[in-house]
Amino acid sequence: MTEFTPWSALLGGGLIGLASGILLLLSGRVAGVSGIAGGMLRPEPGTVGWRPAFLLGLVIGVWVFGALGGNLDSIRVAAGWPALVIGGLLVGFGTQLGGGCTSGHGVSGISRFSARSIAATVLFMTSAGVTVYVARHVLGGGA
Amino acid sequence: MNRHTWIALGSGVIFGLGLAISQMIDPEKVLAFLDVAGQWDPSLVFVMIGALLVMGIAWRLQTRGVQVDAHARKLSIPGHGIDRSLVIGALVFGVGWGLVGYCPGPAIASLALFSLEAFVFVAAMLAGMQLFHYWRGTGAG
């Protein structure tokens, strides 16, 4: 069971929006993480450097949080190896087929009222919720 | 490094900091949000509210033609309407997200923790992306 943390969630969300806004206004690019990561696998000439720089930034951001005294010790991944591998494959394949994930569709798309992104977000939230329901309450006995 | 590389790095750092502060990088927190029928933790609704408010302002500036940076590239947004790829892709992504609690941003950011789980997940995710491009015939090789 986790604690309800609306204020840190709001602040963190605001920073995610700020980061996406900076990339949009200063570079004219959409901060969709699955698109940025997927694009690294088939690099176009002249656009190579910024993608790994953004992804490295994500990692550095977590280190900055730790350096500022943020608690990272309580983070645990409950999933076993089969779930990690299958989940990773589905997330990779699905985000490329669907053209985005929680950042590209969920943040950048919904904030410009894109019907496509709103539909994608409703769909992946729903299938994620159903997956958790089945895993925890049907197969897992309500853990 | 050119200016766009620095902008991307800075944006990434702020994005990663936001993922950490909001606890999006904690799969337990994400799964508690997705588990509506269990001990539901609605915190991540507030992540969306915060992100959408700020990004909504950025879009308004962008579409009003505010030239914040003359060096920014002309924005192109891919749009194919709500087609079968979008629907199936989103549903498939959601199943993977629900299995582990990682979506792409938090998974990559979690490499900062040097956890074996994050490395395995990210490797599988990149393999899934590559698999898609082979299947589509758009892989670089």
Side-chain angles (χ1 to χ4, degrees):
Chain A
M1 191 182 164
T2 56
E3 214 180 313
F4 180 49
T5 51
W7 294 111
S8 57
L10 197 64
L11 173 65
L15 287 172
I16 291 168
L18 178 68
S20 305
I22 286 172
L23 199 65
L24 174 72
L25 294 171
L26 298 187
S27 275
R29 297 187 189 280
V30 175
V33 179
S34 61
I36 293 172
M40 272 184 60
L41 299 173
R42 41 185 214 299
E44 309 150 35
T47 70
V48 181
W50 74 278
R51 294 174 190 272
F54 179 86
L55 300 179
L56 177 67
L58 294 181
V59 172
I60 294 172
V62 175
W63 286 334
V64 169
F65 175 74
L68 293 174
N71 178 26
L72 294 165
D73 297 333
S74 61
I75 297 175
R76 296 282 177 274
V77 182
W81 284 72
L84 285 170
V85 172
I86 295 167
L89 285 169
L90 294 176
V91 166
F93 193 93
T95 53
Q96 299 303 292
L97 180 61
C101 59
T102 39
S103 51
H105 280 312
V107 175
S108 289
I110 291 184
S111 59
R112 54 175 275 271
F113 304 108
S114 154
R116 191 175 139 74
S117 290
I118 293 167
T121 305
V122 169
L123 288 167
F124 66 64
M125 288 271 184
T126 304
S127 70
V130 169
T131 302
V132 171
Y133 181 81
V134 171
R136 289 194 168 179
H137 304 291
V138 179
L139 302 175
Chain B
M1 267 171 56
N2 71 25
R3 53 181 287 109
H4 289 295
T5 311
W6 285 108
I7 292 164
L9 182 67
S11 166
V13 171
I14 297 168
F15 202 113
L17 187 61
L19 290 173
I21 290 175
S22 64
Q23 297 181 57
M24 280 288 293
I25 59 166
D26 185 350
E28 273 306 300
K29 187 79 174 173
V30 174
L31 293 177
F33 165 70
L34 294 170
D35 189 11
V36 180
Q39 304 272 9
W40 190 47
D41 177 357
S43 302
L44 297 194
V45 172
F46 290 82
V47 182
M48 283 298 282
I49 292 171
L52 291 177
L53 283 176
V54 178
M55 193 53 188
I57 296 169
W59 279 117
R60 283 188 79 88
L61 293 172
Q62 199 270 341
T63 53
R64 282 180 177 187
V66 174
Q67 284 292 328
V68 178
D69 189 325
H71 298 283
R73 73 201 264 274
K74 195 171 178 294
L75 189 70
S76 71
I77 295 164
H80 318 284
I82 302 169
D83 56 13
R84 218 170 67 152
S85 297
L86 182 93
V87 171
I88 296 171
L91 290 173
V92 168
F93 160 46
V95 173
W97 189 27
L99 274 178
V100 181
Y102 274 146
C103 53
I108 292 169
S110 293
L111 296 176
L113 306 173
F114 298 109
S115 84
L116 189 58
E117 286 91 349
F119 278 99
V120 170
F121 184 89
V122 169
M125 183 177 84
L126 293 174
M129 289 175 171
Q130 191 67 277
L131 210 63
F132 169 80
H133 292 292
Y134 281 131
W135 175 67
R136 259 297 147 86
T138 51

